[in-house]
Amino acid sequence: MKKNVVIVGGGFGGLAAAKKLSRTDFHVTLIDKRNYHLFQPLLYQVATAALSPADIAYPLRAILRGPNIEILLGHVDEINKEEKWLKTLEGNRISFDYLILACGSTYTYFNSPSWENFAPSLKNITQATEIRRKVLLAFEEAERESDPLKRNALLTFIVVGGGPTGVELAGSLAEIALYSLVKDFHNINSSDAKVILIEAGPRLLATMPDELSHESVEQLQGLGVDIRTNSKVLDVSDEGIRIGEEIIPSRTILWAAGVAAVAINKELGVELDRQGRVVVGQDCSLKNFPEIFVIGDQAHFESGPDASSLPGLAPVAMQQGRYVAKIIMREAKIKSGQRPPFNYVDKGQMATIGRSRAVAMYKGIHIKGFLAWVAWLFVHIYYLIGFRNRFSVIFQWAWTYLTYKRGARLIIEKESNLPSIEKFSHRNDAFKKS
Amino acid sequence: MKKNVVIVGGGFGGLAAAKKLSRTDFHVTLIDKRNYHLFQPLLYQVATAALSPADIAYPLRAILRGPNIEILLGHVDEINKEEKWLKTLEGNRISFDYLILACGSTYTYFNSPSWENFAPSLKNITQATEIRRKVLLAFEEAERESDPLKRNALLTFIVVGGGPTGVELAGSLAEIALYSLVKDFHNINSSDAKVILIEAGPRLLATMPDELSHESVEQLQGLGVDIRTNSKVLDVSDEGIRIGEEIIPSRTILWAAGVAAVAINKELGVELDRQGRVVVGQDCSLKNFPEIFVIGDQAHFESGPDASSLPGLAPVAMQQGRYVAKIIMREAKIKSGQRPPFNYVDKGQMATIGRSRAVAMYKGIHIKGFLAWVAWLFVHIYYLIGFRNRFSVIFQWAWTYLTYKRGARLIIEKESNLPSIEKFSHRNDAFKKS
């Protein structure tokens, strides 16, 4: 009898484990609610019209061709740790010998979930195209708006959160206004647009050294971004945002703050850390359940002299995924014995701030500007899964770089947003037969 | 005082007119409800996961850079022919000296509008990605379905309408099942999928000669498509479709039949033909309103010995757009005199039926198979607007052709369709800082 390994989540961690277990004697089931692996670090480029969704997403079935790997589209609903099975919302019940949970994290609006209606976060492709729509529509509406106050609110773009996503979003938005759209409009000057980056803490990119934080501020200011650190958001509405006594009118607010744990964690009945992540042992497994592993953003893995958790980075998730797969394969051969602990190899950190601008650190070396940007390009292209995407992305980046144009700046209607009476279809069905 | 030309619709006709009037002494306003020109003939390739939306859509502002051209995103709501102004739903009121209506056509479900809920038509990008989602999800659901009857309904794909769109959709769907997905699944054999093409009339591609109709039938049957001519659809539901006494269970029904006029036509207070198109004179203008033109699919333009209308083809719309622009430019110089009539130069017709298969006719010459397919490729790449898209499409077609893979086979969640409680986020936010 082949042993069943069930992996939940096709992100960086789950995928790394599945790849390692491909073409082995285990029967592997990968469950994800989506049919594709999403290259999350480039999602902001879809939101800012530089890339198309298909450039950063690749079908899981195309990545994992191993005959021992089954992929199931579904939402995991219930996990029974003792009897070793789980159930999906769609009605499948699956038994496991080993379970790898790699469900990532999610965003939180702290205690104000209603803010999400006015300030979407960048969590999936639907959200990314929605943000793209919002940003491009703001310019279109400003073009036909005659009231200067309303026009000003339309041309004010606010990004909440000074982590890598917030920094990258703010940089891209500033570039769109300064370069990509500058010739497109008649009644407005797109470079009049203001981009404001709001961070509650004292500095941007808090996980990086001071020096690189300062550098990112300089680079963003070079693009005209207004940076407000030590600024706590007190209210968000369709009119704008409130920080302290100040109200900033804005019609486009984007949320890149507040990482939170996924909801299933609470139902596992195990120890969670303050942020709700699952506390795991040095072999990434649950206490008393050595055949259940939790990896990546979903896990709290203590490391280092201060016993802090490893950060929520792709290399952590990928290394843990491969490590767990190896542990499982090893136990098929050696029936007993201690598991060697997981050991994280630091791969550094980086963030890009638009054209030719970036900051990076690797083993104590700090890199800034063009060189960091080239390093960023190299790493991201290298890790993009699937040759086709990699090639397409290189081509589109080269195009954007040389021409300042953004090819994917399409405003795709949300279905629910279409006017009910479409008097003018504006559609041209011709050419079909030509 | 510059004269105002207002163009409604950024399809093939409206765009051709706007381009011709670019950098002239006229002030041109192009109104469209979308910010992009859509290359409609390739929309079925987005629906069948070969291309991304950005490949076949290009921002109007990027195409029309002329300083005398203003682009307005909006829905035209009211037209006053006598006082020469129009209004948009968004509240803009625009006066015109000349008006060019190029609003295209729309789909009709005859007298059963509720069928649209079960059988989406391919009219815009939102619909195309929705169809892509539906098709790919059907395979995913079949993979986890154990009931053979339900599985059969999931693997039955029905296309209604044997015109070029229907033929192209059916061919692409058969190819997906036969080639693209064949290694993706474990529990189902994707090539067990059935594609059924239903046509009410006696033959496919009714506007083409008999010989090419027969050829298209042979080519489709070569791909395993089940063709039902003389079959009138009597009912459509979420269970399947009824033709005569027969009920065909299917979970994926696509609608490519019944072209209808846009709703504004009825409110113009002018003569319409039986299909609701606006009857125009030999100069494409409205009777008694020589400064109002209607072109492309929206118009009924009598031509030929039998005084039938010109067909709904892109070349007709483009030629009419350029013709009308010339008439307007001419009248700025010559104040009086007769307008020369519009004269259509036949550019032929073509339809593609998947890999290396197509039919085409040009000036009495009939072309079939690989040669027709190469001609189809050439014409479509040539006419794709915007260098970047053209290049990207060539690359992706080459890729699909060589590998049988379809890069854009992503199932993007509809926002309204997301489970309300997302217990498992499966998102991996890592790598952001790496």
Side-chain angles (χ1 to χ4, degrees), chain A residues 33 73 144 422 433-434, chain B residues 33 73 144 349-350 422:
Chain A
K33 63 177 182 180
L73 208 66
R144 60 171 185 246
E422 291 200 38
K433 304 155 206 167
S434 75
Chain B
K33 61 178 182 180
L73 210 65
R144 61 172 185 246
Q349 296 187 31
M350 47 174 60
E422 291 200 36

Side-chain angles (χ1 to χ4, degrees), chain A residues 119-428:
Chain A
S121 60
L122 193 59
K123 52 189 180 193
N124 57 41
I125 285 184
T126 310
Q127 287 278 20
T129 50
E130 168 60 13
I131 287 176
R132 183 171 75 186
R133 203 181 69 84
K134 227 176 141 82
V135 169
L136 295 173
L137 266 182
F139 284 102
E140 295 287 344
E141 283 179 37
E143 170 82 355
R144 60 171 185 246
E145 180 60 63
S146 49
D147 180 335
L149 282 177
K150 286 185 184 165
R151 191 185 276 189
N152 176 58
L154 284 164
L155 291 177
T156 301
F157 299 88
I158 295 177
V159 178
V160 181
T165 306
V167 165
E168 290 173 338
L169 259 180
S172 286
L173 287 173
E175 280 200 330
I176 287 180
L178 276 181
Y179 304 117
S180 305
L181 297 181
V182 81
K183 283 187 202 154
D184 274 7
F185 296 94
H186 286 79
N187 300 329
I188 57 166
N189 187 343
S190 71
S191 56
D192 286 348
K194 277 184 298 190
V195 178
I196 304 171
L197 179 60
I198 297 173
E199 163 62 38
R203 63 187 182 96
L204 303 183
L205 303 174
T207 61
M208 288 205 186
D210 260 349
E211 184 199 350
L212 295 181
S213 274
H214 286 305
E215 176 66 23
S216 71
V217 168
E218 271 175 38
Q219 292 182 1
L220 282 169
Q221 284 172 341
L223 286 168
V225 176
D226 180 358
I227 297 163
R228 315 276 187 99
T229 46
N230 294 311
S231 299
K232 205 163 168 254
V233 172
L234 298 179
D235 197 18
V236 180
S237 73
D238 58 351
E239 302 274 298
I241 204 163
R242 189 155 69 85
I243 319 168
E245 295 298 298
E246 189 186 5
I247 291 172
I248 310 174
S250 166
R251 291 278 297 275
T252 314
I253 303 162
L254 308 179
W255 195 261
V259 174
V262 286
I264 194 84
N265 289 0
K266 281 186 193 157
E267 318 207 359
L268 283 172
V270 296
E271 188 191 348
L272 305 181
D273 72 359
R274 215 160 43 90
Q275 287 157 274
R277 290 176 295 189
V278 176
V279 176
V280 293
Q282 290 297 302
D283 61 350
C284 299
S285 76
L286 291 185
K287 202 174 171 182
N288 301 327
F289 298 94
E291 65 290 337
I292 300 181
F293 301 92
V294 185
I295 61 173
D297 286 15
Q298 198 184 356
H300 174 107
F301 184 97
E302 278 182 11
S303 152
D306 58 347
S308 64
S309 173
L310 284 177
L313 298 175
V316 174
M318 289 162 84
Q319 289 178 32
Q320 289 181 333
R322 285 190 292 264
Y323 163 84
V324 165
K326 270 191 229 166
I327 292 285
I328 292 171
M329 286 152 70
R330 186 172 174 263
E331 291 186 357
K333 291 174 201 152
I334 311 160
K335 290 295 166 202
S336 66
Q338 279 248 301
R339 291 173 175 177
F342 170 70
N343 186 26
Y344 175 57
V345 183
D346 189 3
K347 296 279 187 177
Q349 296 186 31
M350 46 173 62
T352 175
I353 304 150
R355 258 176 103 71
S356 319
R357 293 178 168 93
V359 293
M361 55 180 281
Y362 177 71
K363 292 190 192 300
I365 305 166
H366 299 173
I367 320 173
K368 298 180 271 193
F370 187 73
L371 198 66
W373 184 74
V374 171
W376 178 90
L377 266 186
F378 177 79
V379 168
H380 283 77
I381 289 170
Y382 181 80
Y383 277 105
L384 257 190
I385 289 159
F387 160 77
R388 181 190 157 280
N389 297 39
R390 214 180 286 181
F391 205 87
S392 169
V393 167
I394 293 172
F395 171 69
Q396 277 168 73
W397 280 347
W399 179 250
T400 304
Y401 188 80
L402 292 172
T403 65
Y404 289 91
K405 284 182 186 171
R406 285 174 183 257
R409 54 179 202 277
L410 310 178
I411 302 171
I412 309 292
E413 298 99 330
K414 292 202 291 185
E415 271 173 287
S416 54
N417 249 17
L418 294 174
S420 52
I421 304 159
E422 291 200 38
K423 287 204 170 175
F424 272 70
S425 165
H426 298 193
R427 204 179 50 80
N428 200 322

Side-chain angles (χ1 to χ4, degrees), chain B residues 93-111:
Chain B
R93 187 185 180 285
I94 300 152
S95 299
F96 59 81
D97 296 296
Y98 289 100
L99 176 64
I100 304 173
L101 295 174
C103 305
S105 57
T106 185
Y107 277 99
T108 176
Y109 288 80
F110 310 117
N111 293 318

